[in-house]
Amino acid sequence: MNDTYLNFVNSPFGTRVARSLGLPKPEVLRRYRAGEPEFGGLVAIGAGREPRLLDPLADFVASIGVTSVAHESAGLWMPLAHRHNLMTGRFEPADSGSPARLAALLFDASGIEDSSQLEPLYAFFHDTLRSLGKCGRIVVLGRPPEACENPRQWTAQRALEGLTRSLGKEARRGATANLVYVAEGAGHRMEATLRFFLSPRSAYVSGQVVRIAAGGPLRINADTHADTDAGINADLPSPFDWRQPLANRRALVTGAARGIGAAIASVLAEQGAHVIGIDIASARDALEATLRPLNGTALAFDIAAPEAPAQIAAALDDQGVDIVVHNAGITKDKTIAKMTHAAWQSVIDINLSAQERIDDTLLAAGILRDGGRIIGVSSIGGIAGNAGQTNYATSKAGVIGRVESMAPRLRARGISINAVAPGFIETQMTAKMPLALREAGRRMNSLAQGGQPADVAQTIAWLAHPGSAGISGQVVRVCGQSLIGA
Ligand code: NAD
């Protein structure tokens, strides 16, 4: 779908009109394009007291070839900055003549143990936020509050959520802000997540909180590395090709004929996976047209049919599967008083129960291999609820329950299960919405626009990544920090 307003206010004439009338001007977001560099520019790094993640953070920043500058307010950790050859300096706000626009602001808050120690966050973002460039990135690193030893530390770490979400709302020009809670001993597992949040792949993901767990059975090659923050990520083979992270993986994607599902198939294939796409028989032509250029496999099955789990298992049996993406979904909107029993039943069955039946079959038969990934597509409707969508919201909240309940059960097999919850995404599903509702859906978020199917697909690819083994049982919204259900 075309966002006429966004296109207009970004045209030379529209820019003048928007300025003179004081209209909001959503930024044209920078999105990932094959062949274009993902990282570049100047990154400002700040830290609170005793930053415990600075070693892996500095190593990572150096490895992607960007120049980092340590903020001078963090005097306590300057020796560390010098050890990592970070330039040190102070930032003047851009409008007071600072020469350099910053591509990203990274803050290591992992060592903060008391609310009285939050002040360096103020100093850092006060100095740097106005210098953050177009489509800039903010990432705050902390420790999972629930794992903190005492109430003061828990409180201070939990406080980071309010800061990060507010930064997402204050940042302008297509910038995003996200918080990553890294468990003690999981610092070496940050790279896939930092790459995602710093790159244009996460263009429409803002205001999110992600937790990376350490060690445990999720770590597949457990005997090969020590449980420290720094060190080698044993989830990944060495050397690791970051351009083809899903090489040699097989991925099943339901509802792959069009919309978000087609984008998921395409992104997973681009990252090296062999994609097996499923869609209903009437979408066979579109499914084949999607999968053919990806050298994928098209299967025309109705996922809700009683025989579907067995059919899918039989089709996958020989080689198994590493990644399962439950994307197929339908809406049949009516207020509950007017909703037919069939409309209720089919939405719950396709959007939720079919996933459970397919997973149970693939897991029981070992077809979904150990170390695998399951990713469900929920919706912000499942978080916030929506008038006229009791069936849909029930099914999508159920997807979240599925993820939460299955994550601990799958841990021993090294399988992670997560969900993405898209907000307003420009597809045929949202094109059917009445105009006023569609416009409201597009604008009521920090980026003041709808997302693209590729935004959801890139988020799923990050969760499917072998380097995302520490992330399980979580829901990541792809909604531009929507106000709905926030
Ligand atoms: P879409 O209608 O464009 O595509 C859905 C695909 O699923 C279609 O190809 C359809 O044929 C297929 N499908 C439906 N029932 C099926 C069945 N029984 N068996 C096999 N395939 C089946 O929808 P979309 O906008 O691309 O949405 C994809 C997913 O994202 C859905 O789960 C939807 O609920 C979710 N979502 C979308 C948005 C949005 O804004 N578009 C927002 C939140 C969540």
Side-chain angles (χ1 to χ4, degrees):
M1 274 283 296
N2 209 0
D3 185 341
T4 317
Y5 177 77
L6 180 138
N7 293 337
F8 173 69
V9 293
N10 280 290
S11 68
F13 174 62
T15 301
R16 287 201 301 277
V17 173
R19 199 177 297 134
S20 63
L21 296 178
L23 296 174
K25 184 171 175 286
E27 191 74 49
V28 177
L29 299 183
R30 186 172 163 241
R31 290 189 161 88
Y32 171 78
R33 282 205 203 150
E36 285 183 9
E38 285 185 62
F39 311 105
L42 204 56
V43 171
I45 299 184
R49 66 177 287 283
E50 294 182 26
R52 315 240 164 88
L53 296 166
L54 196 64
D55 281 341
L57 182 64
D59 287 349
F60 160 70
V61 168
S63 75
I64 59 170
V66 300
T67 309
S68 41
V69 185
H71 185 255
E72 79 166 22
S73 71
L76 274 177
W77 59 277
M78 272 303 143
L80 275 174
H82 290 306
R83 199 167 89 214
H84 290 290
N85 292 327
L86 303 180
M87 282 160 40
T88 54
R90 187 177 173 80
F91 305 99
E92 298 303 325
D95 53 5
S96 67
S98 166
R101 280 260 165 207
L102 296 167
L105 311 178
L106 306 178
F107 194 96
D108 179 358
S110 59
I112 293 179
E113 292 183 339
D114 190 288
S115 58
S116 63
Q117 298 162 358
L118 291 165
E119 192 272 342
L121 289 149
Y122 161 79
F124 178 73
F125 289 110
H126 174 78
D127 273 9
T128 56
L129 191 62
R130 273 184 289 179
S131 297
L132 186 61
K134 185 178 164 206
C135 299
R137 294 286 184 266
I138 298 168
V139 179
V140 177
L141 300 173
R143 292 294 198 203
E146 60 281 2
C148 291
E149 278 166 15
N150 64 61
R152 291 217 166 198
Q153 192 181 358
W154 181 321
T155 302
Q157 289 294 325
R158 179 63 180 76
L160 301 175
E161 276 199 34
L163 171 89
T164 311
R165 293 208 163 109
S166 301
L167 290 171
K169 293 183 179 186
E170 285 188 10
R172 304 245 176 268
R173 306 180 65 217
T176 63
N178 293 287
L179 170 61
V180 183
Y181 283 129
V182 184
E184 216 162 304
H188 61 276
R189 279 186 157 172
M190 295 191 303
E191 181 161 359
T193 298
L194 287 174
R195 280 179 177 264
F196 174 69
F197 280 128
L198 291 180
S199 88
R201 295 177 193 269
S202 60
Y204 201 59
V205 182
S206 192
Q208 299 308 291
V209 180
V210 172
R211 287 167 164 77
I212 303 179
L218 269 182
R219 196 200 311 148
I220 295 158
N221 305 325
D223 45 342
T224 59
H225 81 118
D227 207 10
T228 57
D229 279 318
I232 298 159
N233 187 349
D235 304 319
L236 303 178
S238 175
F240 184 70
D241 183 355
W242 287 95
R243 285 159 310 167
Q244 291 274 288
L246 304 180
N248 304 319
R249 310 254 153 169
R250 285 161 56 84
L252 180 74
V253 180
T254 67
R258 66 177 202 188
I260 295 171
I264 297 167
S266 154
V267 170
L268 296 184
E270 200 216 332
Q271 297 197 7
H274 176 84
V275 177
I276 301 118
I278 296 183
D279 214 299
I280 47 177
S282 59
R284 186 193 295 264
D285 289 350
L287 182 68
E288 286 176 353
T290 302
L291 272 301
R292 202 174 304 117
L294 309 177
N295 292 322
T297 307
L299 299 176
F301 294 146
D302 175 348
I303 56 160
E307 63 280 12
Q311 283 178 327
I312 295 169
L316 294 172
D317 193 21
D318 273 3
Q319 300 173 63
V321 70
D322 307 283
I323 299 159
V324 175
V325 183
H326 293 294
N327 162 78
I330 60 166
T331 51
K332 286 199 188 293
D333 297 353
K334 278 273 187 287
T335 54
I336 198 160
K338 294 184 181 156
M339 187 181 292
T340 63
H341 177 259
W344 169 272
Q345 204 53 38
S346 60
V347 169
I348 302 291
D349 202 40
I350 291 172
N351 293 7
L352 179 60
S353 309
Q355 295 187 19
E356 297 178 284
R357 294 192 294 264
I358 293 168
D359 282 351
D360 288 350
T361 301
L362 298 185
L363 286 165
I367 293 170
L368 175 57
R369 287 198 280 254
D370 289 1
R373 304 275 183 272
I374 302 173
I375 298 137
V377 178
S378 178
S379 165
I380 56 170
I383 295 170
N386 202 10
Q389 288 199 315
T390 48
N391 49 358
Y392 184 75
T394 303
S395 71
K396 294 300 185 180
V399 170
I400 295 173
R402 173 94 184 142
V403 159
E404 291 168 346
S405 60
M406 288 298 287
R409 289 175 168 78
L410 296 176
R411 207 162 266 255
R413 292 177 59 180
I415 297 173
S416 74
I417 177 167
N418 295 286
V420 295
F424 183 97
I425 306 296
E426 306 279 359
T427 66
Q428 293 184 37
M429 191 183 255
T430 46
K432 286 190 301 193
M433 289 167 74
L435 179 69
L437 265 185
R438 194 163 67 225
E439 265 310 288
R442 275 185 179 138
R443 307 296 160 220
M444 283 169 59
N445 60 73
S446 297
L447 299 169
Q449 59 192 286
Q452 295 295 328
D455 298 329
V456 182
Q458 291 288 357
T459 308
I460 287 173
W462 155 58
L463 292 168
H465 196 289
S468 297
I471 303 172
S472 194
Q474 299 182 47
V475 181
V476 180
R477 293 167 54 139
V478 187
C479 65
Q481 198 176 23
S482 171
L483 296 178
I484 297 166

